[in-house]
Amino acid sequence: MPRNRALISTAIVLVVGLHAVPVLYRSERGTLWPFMQYSMYKGSSPPGPIHAEKRRLIAVTARGAEQEVTPMVLGLSVTVLRSSLRSMAAGDSAAAGYLMHRLNRGRAEPFVELRVESTTYVVSDAGIVRTAAPPIAYHAEPSETR
Amino acid sequence: MKQWIARWEAYWFPTTPVVDLALCRIIAVASQLTFFFPSLDEHLNLLRKNPVFIEPQVLIRAIAAVVPRGEFFTPSVFTALYWVTAIAGVATLIGLATRVAAFVFALGTWIFVSHLFSYGDRHHTEAIFCIFLLLLAFSPSGDALSVDAYVRRRRGRPRSAVADTAIWPLKLVHVLLGLSYFSAGMSKLITGGPRWLNGYTLQNHAFQDAVYRGFPVGMWLAQHHHLAILLSVFTIFFEVFFFVSLFVPWTQPLFFMGGLLFHIGLYATGGYDFFQHMVLLVLLLLFVAPPWWRTWLGRYLEVLRPRSRRAAQVHGPS
């Protein structure tokens, strides 16, 4: 086998082989990009209602000014924001404290309240039914607002 | 052993026209530059709002081990890197110092994607496409349709129109797609079990993302149980058996076109944006699929007509 073919063959084996690393080395499977494992949407649902939740996060200042918290405002990805929103909707005040701290870092006028607004969508025989849940508010610790 | 080596060489190193790989270079790099190029604002925002990485990718850890975070991961360095990557991308596109340019372009792209995925989030869409961009640097992708080829012709030193190292990057992409689809399909069957095919699973997955992202087709699909069962079966069949196209060449056009439909459907229903996979599937459909397909396609795509006959000669019958 000519030298360049041998080098290319080695590279091919290496590239394919490196895709086994995230499978074998579980603790690092999320940090080996572009060598990834491709288990996506693997969970299954039992027969039952088809439902979805749509949530948004509103930050409020002491003067009552409101701003929707987006990934760009937060400086984190949409996945992290959605995960935090899920926790906050379930009553996790630690997640709220973490986001409040991030949002207020370096802000002249800090936010004093984070409000989670949730809407549930359910598929029914009559179409999609929307139900808005009462908003859940989290207030900043006094040290956050100084 | 000799027989295995001969089989390996016959698979990875058949003689093919270099213009095929050059067209792949142009399509892939143009796609990356126009549709998939990183957003500088997004990266500068991440750098400004995060004093530390949340879950740094291996490439970012490697860079941080050599250069302190405060010196490399700064808005000014990333702005410079952005423009260097863009210029290298344009050079790769036109084929100017192609190998070096393609390497710089791919490395810059890898750094941006790795950086984006170092803050607690990661996605699958870019990975195989970025590997392909890097492979362009290690193959004769600039031997045709390039400034390099033009200069060599002018100097009276043109390179051969065919090479035995002009198809392996695409074949490797084919293998990696096969692995990724198989992994995705098997994880659904192992974790979700047969219940993954019950229709409710697909309805729920589609509905949740369609509602969140505002995709009406997904909301419509979530209301059609029997269609969801059919699409679940199609999903599992396509993902688990895509690898068959590696061993049975005549099935390749079916799986590649099935893959395109699969990704178009995923995007329409839930906004799953596997556009890079779609570009790769188009490249496979144009340049790896068997000669009968290319000859048939050549009747409709004038640009492929002269090469489809040549390809049939060098590939031999499938």
Side-chain angles (χ1 to χ4, degrees):
Chain A
M1 189 186 283
R3 189 166 170 268
N4 65 335
R5 286 191 187 186
L7 284 172
I8 291 169
S9 298
T10 307
I12 290 166
V13 172
L14 190 67
V15 170
V16 174
L18 281 170
H19 280 79
V21 178
V23 178
L24 301 172
Y25 195 24
R26 297 176 74 92
S27 62
E28 289 291 331
R29 64 173 39 168
T31 59
L32 297 169
W33 187 94
F35 305 105
M36 315 177 81
Q37 56 132 355
Y38 285 79
S39 52
M40 295 173 274
Y41 294 89
K42 59 186 180 184
S44 59
S45 311
I50 309 302
H51 60 91
E53 298 266 352
K54 189 173 185 178
R55 302 186 183 98
R56 61 184 206 135
L57 185 63
I58 308 294
V60 188
T61 67
R63 287 192 303 162
E66 296 190 352
Q67 182 178 12
E68 180 168 359
V69 179
T70 62
M72 200 69 173
V73 170
L74 198 58
L76 287 174
S77 71
V78 67
T79 308
V80 176
L81 176 59
R82 281 178 83 172
S83 164
S84 300
L85 274 172
R86 234 184 343 264
S87 302
M88 289 169 70
D92 182 359
S93 58
Y98 171 70
L99 293 191
M100 185 77 85
H101 178 70
R102 281 191 66 95
L103 288 166
N104 282 340
R105 203 161 42 204
R107 270 187 70 88
E109 188 187 4
F111 294 115
V112 296
E113 181 186 300
L114 287 178
R115 193 172 69 236
V116 182
E117 298 179 349
S118 305
T119 307
T120 304
Y121 295 74
V122 180
V123 173
S124 74
D125 290 342
I128 295 170
V129 178
R130 276 179 54 165
T131 314
I136 301 173
Y138 292 90
H139 297 279
E141 297 286 326
S143 60
E144 279 285 344
T145 58
R146 281 198 293 269
Chain B
M1 186 67 180
K2 274 185 181 174
Q3 195 184 4
W4 283 104
I5 292 174
R7 278 188 182 180
W8 174 273
E9 293 211 335
Y11 182 79
W12 291 103
F13 306 114
T15 305
T16 53
V18 288
V19 75
D20 286 7
L21 188 62
L23 281 168
C24 291
R25 181 196 86 231
I26 291 167
I27 294 169
V29 173
S31 305
Q32 176 65 25
L33 282 172
T34 50
F35 300 119
F36 314 134
F37 206 64
S39 157
L40 183 58
D41 284 347
E42 190 176 15
H43 284 274
L44 297 185
N45 189 50
L46 286 171
L47 289 169
R48 288 185 184 121
K49 292 185 175 165
N50 294 282
V52 292
F53 301 115
I54 294 174
E55 218 180 8
Q57 294 296 330
V58 65
L59 181 58
I60 299 300
R61 290 201 303 259
I63 294 170
V66 179
V67 189
R69 183 190 156 93
E71 288 176 25
F72 186 85
F73 296 95
T74 64
S76 54
V77 170
F78 263 60
T79 304
L81 183 65
Y82 178 87
W83 288 109
V84 167
T85 306
I87 291 165
V90 173
T92 313
L93 181 67
I94 62 173
L96 177 64
T98 314
R99 284 187 184 242
V100 175
F103 183 76
V104 173
F105 181 52
L107 186 62
T109 305
W110 279 43
I111 291 173
F112 274 107
V113 178
S114 295
H115 179 246
L116 188 66
F117 294 165
S118 290
Y119 297 94
D121 191 17
R122 62 190 177 277
H123 298 278
H124 295 93
T125 53
E126 297 89 348
I128 297 176
F129 191 79
C130 286
I131 290 171
F132 180 66
L133 289 180
L134 186 63
L135 299 183
L136 291 175
F138 299 99
S139 58
S141 65
D143 281 8
L145 306 178
S146 65
V147 174
D148 292 345
Y150 174 77
V151 170
R152 276 195 292 269
R153 269 200 311 276
R154 292 272 301 200
R155 289 178 179 168
R157 290 181 297 165
R159 293 224 172 124
S160 169
V162 293
D164 60 2
T165 52
I167 196 71
W168 70 270
L170 273 177
K171 292 207 164 195
L172 184 50
V173 160
H174 189 186
V175 170
L176 295 180
L177 283 175
L179 274 177
S180 68
Y181 288 132
F182 187 73
S183 163
M186 287 310 290
S187 69
K188 288 180 180 77
L189 287 179
I190 292 168
T191 309
R195 203 166 72 178
W196 207 95
L197 297 162
N198 66 5
Y200 296 101
T201 298
L202 190 65
Q203 280 175 284
N204 269 313
H205 283 314
F207 194 50
Q208 279 157 18
D209 284 319
V211 163
Y212 184 78
R213 296 174 179 146
F215 277 70
V217 177
M219 294 186 214
W220 175 83
L221 170 64
Q223 298 172 68
H224 292 80
H225 182 65
H226 291 104
L227 180 60
I229 293 174
L230 276 177
L231 291 175
S232 304
V233 172
F234 170 72
T235 299
I236 294 295
F237 177 83
F238 169 75
E239 289 188 338
V240 171
F241 292 106
F242 180 89
F243 77 93
V244 170
S245 65
L246 289 164
F247 305 106
V248 188
W250 70 264
T251 64
Q252 288 170 356
L254 303 177
F255 277 104
F256 298 159
M257 280 195 297
L260 277 173
L261 291 175
F262 176 65
H263 287 299
I264 290 169
L266 286 179
Y267 182 69
T269 50
Y272 310 105
D273 51 354
F274 280 81
F275 298 129
Q276 287 93 334
H277 277 55
M278 290 162 78
V279 172
L280 293 174
L281 286 165
V282 167
L283 295 181
L284 294 178
L285 202 49
L286 290 175
F287 302 112
V288 168
W292 70 263
W293 163 259
R294 295 183 49 164
T295 306
W296 180 81
L297 197 65
R299 289 184 205 146
Y300 299 94
L301 293 175
E302 188 64 31
V303 65
L304 288 177
R305 185 176 292 172
R307 290 199 332 281
S308 58
R309 283 194 216 105
R310 226 174 28 235
Q313 287 164 4
V314 294
H315 282 298
S318 61

